[in-house]
Amino acid sequence: RTVCNNCCILIWFLDDLQWADPESINLIKLLLTDKRTKNLLVVGSIRQDGVDVNDQQENYFGDIEEKDSIHITRIHLGNLDEGSVNTLISDLLQCDEEKTRSLTKSVQKKTQGNIFFVLQFLEALQEEGLLWYSLQTFKWIWADDERIQSTMSVSKNVADLVVKKIERMPQELQAVLMIAS
């Protein structure tokens, strides 16, 4: 209430609410339903692809909306289409969209346009030496589609790339990640 007053609006973004425990959801409900709290906007994301969204959580937020007259707007964000992935890649690599089309096809084939996976896949390409920046031409260069597909075909899906990345980390860091998760 101190931060959310007449002169200030607080926007609070909560990512990955599908992992929230019941106590955290109760805290969110308490904040949302407190009639004395003004000028608070809570934006939450719930990932639905590849994750079992807890029906109780979905019902809980619907319950808040119904019982407490809290307005909830749901926006479904899907995967990027190939054109959008191409625009992203050409922007990241600072080159013409026509030039990045072949790379985009490889990336789209592996990621189905999931933005997180697109970025992870590009990073993995760079780590594998299939995408690099040339200091002679001052341009990004990448291997041909065949080489990318054959080298990167070890992973059945891009989530495996994240697992491999973690496996390359020092044991101490892996232990910390296990504890933190």
Side-chain angles (χ1 to χ4, degrees), residues 3 6 15 21 27 29 50-52 63 65 67-68 78 97 99 107 121 124 135 145 156 161 169:
V3 176
N6 289 334
D15 197 13
D21 60 349
L27 177 61
K29 182 180 180 183
V51 175
D52 292 331
D63 193 41
E65 185 175 30
K67 287 183 181 172
D68 298 301
E97 285 188 29
K99 187 173 181 191
V107 172
F121 189 75
L135 293 175
D145 182 53
K156 296 279 187 228
L161 294 172
M169 293 177 179

Side-chain angles (χ1 to χ4, degrees), residues 22-139:
E23 292 79 16
S24 299
I25 292 174
N26 283 333
L27 177 61
I28 295 166
K29 182 180 180 183
L30 182 68
L31 291 170
L32 288 174
T33 57
D34 182 2
K35 300 294 182 201
R36 296 173 294 175
T37 302
K38 305 290 183 207
N39 298 327
L40 172 65
L41 173 63
V42 176
V43 178
S45 73
I46 297 176
R47 186 181 313 256
Q48 295 188 348
D49 59 324
V51 175
D52 292 331
V53 175
N54 187 336
D55 287 334
Q56 182 182 355
Q57 288 173 332
E58 193 61 39
N59 292 337
Y60 199 74
F61 289 114
D63 193 41
I64 292 172
E65 185 175 30
E66 191 176 300
K67 287 183 181 172
D68 298 301
S69 300
I70 302 295
H71 178 71
I72 296 177
T73 301
R74 289 171 177 77
I75 302 171
H76 174 73
L77 301 177
N79 291 341
L80 300 176
D81 60 37
E82 192 170 307
S84 298
V85 171
N86 192 45
T87 299
L88 172 69
I89 290 173
S90 70
D91 284 349
L92 287 171
L93 303 183
Q94 299 178 343
C95 62
D96 186 60
E97 285 188 29
E98 191 59 41
K99 187 173 181 191
T100 58
R101 288 203 195 287
S102 65
L103 177 60
T104 297
K105 286 186 186 304
S106 296
V107 172
Q108 186 74 9
K109 208 179 292 183
K110 292 291 186 180
T111 66
Q112 286 78 49
N114 179 306
I115 186 65
F116 174 75
F117 291 159
V118 166
L119 297 173
Q120 289 295 313
F121 189 75
L122 290 171
E123 189 176 318
L125 287 177
Q126 191 175 10
E127 288 171 1
E128 295 292 325
L130 300 171
L131 173 66
W132 65 95
Y133 187 76
S134 169
L135 293 175
Q136 284 133 356
T137 62
F138 300 108
K139 294 181 181 179

